Amino acid sequence: LTFVAPPFLGNDYAAMLAVNEPTVVLSTASVKFLRPVVVGEEVIAEASVTATDGKKRRVRSLIRPLR
């Protein structure tokens, strides 16, 4: 099993790419763990902007197994 940081950081990076601005700061994160990631397992992070309020963006992101 891997530590939570690598998958979370991949998800965070996907969210920053979805916003596509030069200065992106993650202000909050709501995380739901469904199962552990096993060492050597390939995963993919997907993200999309779901709401915009001025300069703020709400992003939904997901890490799933690459099958």
Side-chain angles (χ1 to χ4, degrees):
L1 301 178
T2 61
F3 182 64
V4 70
F8 179 78
L9 292 175
N11 210 21
D12 183 39
Y13 185 62
M16 289 190 293
L17 292 175
V19 172
N20 196 27
E21 292 289 336
T23 54
V24 176
V25 177
L26 177 66
S27 62
T28 60
S30 176
V31 180
K32 181 177 180 182
F33 293 100
L34 302 177
R35 67 176 185 83
V37 176
V38 179
V39 173
E41 180 180 14
E42 293 182 338
V43 295
I44 187 164
E46 301 172 334
S48 60
V49 176
T50 59
T52 302
D53 181 20
K55 290 186 175 184
K56 293 183 180 181
R57 309 284 192 285
R58 180 172 296 267
V59 178
R60 178 158 179 93
S61 55
L62 171 72
I63 292 182
R64 62 176 178 80
L66 184 61
R67 297 178 196 214

